[in-house]
Amino acid sequence: VAAPERSEPGGAEATAVLRQVIAGQVVRCSVTGEETHGREVGTCWIGAQDIGGALIAEGRARDCPRFSAGRYAALERPQAAALPLPGYCRR
């Protein structure tokens, strides 16, 4: 998932949506063993809800095909095109 950093345009809004989605719930993650920019790559859920998918469906993040193999592409909203897509997301 490619979400803007807090200091980037859309970052504060993405952070707010993430906080709302998580809202004190237990989050479980499965990491792939890959890293990008010092961060582990993986998928996180609250129950059966994919948190990355929720951010993308809200228009606050974009699919990162290099790591997702495009599994979130159908969830991407038109307004997300204005969000940055980091170079490391391209295959």
Side-chain angles (χ1 to χ4, degrees), residues 49-64:
Q49 182 182 27
D50 181 322
I51 296 170
L55 281 175
I56 292 171
E58 287 287 328
R60 301 300 178 189
R62 298 183 69 184
D63 181 38
C64 187

Side-chain angles (χ1 to χ4, degrees), residues 12-42:
E13 294 83 0
T15 299
V17 169
L18 181 60
R19 285 185 176 145
Q20 184 178 24
V21 168
I22 293 173
Q25 299 182 66
V26 175
V27 174
R28 72 182 162 84
C29 299
S30 174
V31 295
T32 65
E34 296 175 278
E35 283 192 13
T36 182
H37 289 76
R39 297 175 181 167
E40 292 183 89
V41 175

